Amino acid sequence: MAELVFFSGTMDCGKSTLALQMDHNHRARGRRGVLFSSHDRAGESMISSRLGLQVSAVEVRPGSNFWTEIADRLTNGARVDYLICDEAQFYTSRQIDQLARIVDEMTIDVFAFGITSDFRTHLFPGSQRLIELADRVQVLQVEALCWCGRRATHNARVVDGVMVVEGDQMVVGNVDQQEDGGMQDYGHPGSGPGGRPDAADASVGYETLCRRHHMRRQTARTVPTLQGNEMPLPFGAA
């Protein structure tokens, strides 16, 4: 029975690695699949992992139509057993509906991988629709970590070293923790449909944080100056 499965997690938890591993496993058993991605860190039409793996994929754009794409392939004699859909948070709600229809009417498995919520802790439209429609939602077992060592549950956008909670939902960037606890910028301000931060030359990056430090806006770079200002527990409160 075909399924629509959503594998979710924060940045840096191995979603793209798992997507490529699943594709490898299915192909090793003789199944044929099509890979899709959107705004991958390695550029258009790619699925790339931070471990250094990368594979060609079909680039998903706002006007892309999954139903038409797969129907055309089948009509032309191609065999399609499954779809790997990486960076699914960037897909439109209508495109997620198309994926669900492919599962139900073409009996093709769809494995979608994506971030659930953005840097403001708001659901991405694609991820929201996947949660609403998926047969299964699986949180990845490989946990990204906050600088404090706790499990990271949220993605923080960092502009010139400072966490921000306002701005366009989509500004493509990457995560890379430095030995000194700083943030290396892999971002492309303003790339894709998202736009750019306030300053055209701002350095944009992302960091994974636990809920506590996301709510306090404490990143690996800013925490040394904030540790003395940690809010004490109200032991004297009635």
Side-chain angles (χ1 to χ4, degrees), residues 6-85:
F6 180 34
F7 297 90
S8 69
T10 63
M11 299 178 75
D12 210 24
C13 72
K15 295 182 301 300
S16 296
T17 301
L18 178 59
L20 295 177
Q21 182 67 54
M22 288 190 67
D23 177 57
H24 169 78
N25 291 351
H26 282 265
R27 287 184 183 275
R29 294 297 175 263
R31 304 192 79 203
R32 302 290 180 85
V34 183
L35 280 64
F36 294 92
S37 189
S38 180
H39 300 89
D40 188 89
R41 67 184 70 83
E44 284 197 359
S45 304
M46 297 292 298
I47 295 179
S48 66
S49 163
R50 291 189 178 85
L51 298 183
L53 306 172
Q54 61 181 42
V55 173
S56 297
V58 178
E59 182 72 13
V60 178
R61 296 181 170 83
S64 298
N65 187 308
F66 284 106
W67 179 266
T68 300
E69 172 83 17
I70 302 305
D72 287 347
R73 289 174 182 262
L74 296 174
T75 300
N76 290 319
R79 175 182 165 187
V80 181
D81 298 310
Y82 64 92
L83 307 183
I84 298 288
C85 299

Side-chain angles (χ1 to χ4, degrees), residues 149-167:
R150 294 186 181 92
R151 177 188 174 193
T153 55
H154 294 77
N155 305 296
R157 179 179 295 171
V158 180
V159 177
D160 288 337
V162 178
M163 178 179 161
V164 297
V165 293
E166 295 181 354

Side-chain angles (χ1 to χ4, degrees), residues 6-235:
F6 180 34
F7 297 90
S8 69
T10 63
M11 299 178 75
D12 210 24
C13 72
K15 295 182 301 300
S16 296
T17 301
L18 178 59
L20 295 177
Q21 182 67 54
M22 288 190 67
D23 177 57
H24 169 78
N25 291 351
H26 282 265
R27 287 184 183 275
R29 294 297 175 263
R31 304 192 79 203
R32 302 290 180 85
V34 183
L35 280 64
F36 294 92
S37 189
S38 180
H39 300 89
D40 188 89
R41 67 184 70 83
E44 284 197 359
S45 304
M46 297 292 298
I47 295 179
S48 66
S49 163
R50 291 189 178 85
L51 298 183
L53 306 172
Q54 61 181 42
V55 173
S56 297
V58 178
E59 182 72 13
V60 178
R61 296 181 170 83
S64 298
N65 187 308
F66 284 106
W67 179 266
T68 300
E69 172 83 17
I70 302 305
D72 287 347
R73 289 174 182 262
L74 296 174
T75 300
N76 290 319
R79 175 182 165 187
V80 181
D81 298 310
Y82 64 92
L83 307 183
I84 298 288
C85 299
D86 200 24
E87 306 292 355
Q89 71 273 7
F90 296 142
Y91 302 177
T92 66
S93 297
R94 184 174 183 179
Q95 287 168 338
I96 302 303
D97 289 346
Q98 294 163 5
L99 291 174
R101 184 185 176 196
I102 287 170
V103 173
D104 294 339
E105 299 186 26
M106 297 184 182
T107 63
I108 293 173
D109 287 313
V110 174
F111 306 114
F113 302 79
I115 299 169
T116 306
S117 59
D118 64 17
F119 71 105
R120 303 166 299 181
T121 69
H122 297 169
L123 290 173
F124 282 99
S127 300
Q128 178 177 336
R129 193 61 177 148
L130 276 165
I131 291 170
E132 293 166 348
L133 293 182
D135 297 296
R136 288 186 290 128
V137 177
Q138 294 189 197
V139 178
L140 268 65
Q141 294 181 355
V142 177
E143 297 179 352
L145 298 178
C146 178
W147 57 262
C148 68
R150 294 186 181 92
R151 177 188 174 193
T153 55
H154 294 77
N155 305 296
R157 179 179 295 171
V158 180
V159 177
D160 288 337
V162 178
M163 178 179 161
V164 297
V165 293
E166 295 181 354
D168 293 330
Q169 186 175 56
M170 183 178 167
V171 175
V172 179
N174 207 336
V175 173
D176 185 22
Q177 298 295 331
Q178 302 294 299
E179 292 182 0
D180 63 359
M183 173 69 61
Q184 168 130 9
D185 169 38
Y186 276 76
H188 306 285
S191 61
R196 64 178 63 244
D198 293 338
D201 59 349
S203 174
V204 181
Y206 289 88
E207 183 172 348
T208 55
L209 300 174
C210 64
R211 183 182 64 245
R212 176 191 184 197
H213 290 118
H214 191 281
M215 294 183 70
R216 293 186 180 185
R217 305 189 191 182
Q218 293 179 317
T219 67
R221 177 176 292 182
T222 60
V223 69
T225 62
L226 294 174
Q227 282 178 329
N229 296 325
E230 290 273 358
M231 291 184 294
L233 293 173
F235 291 114

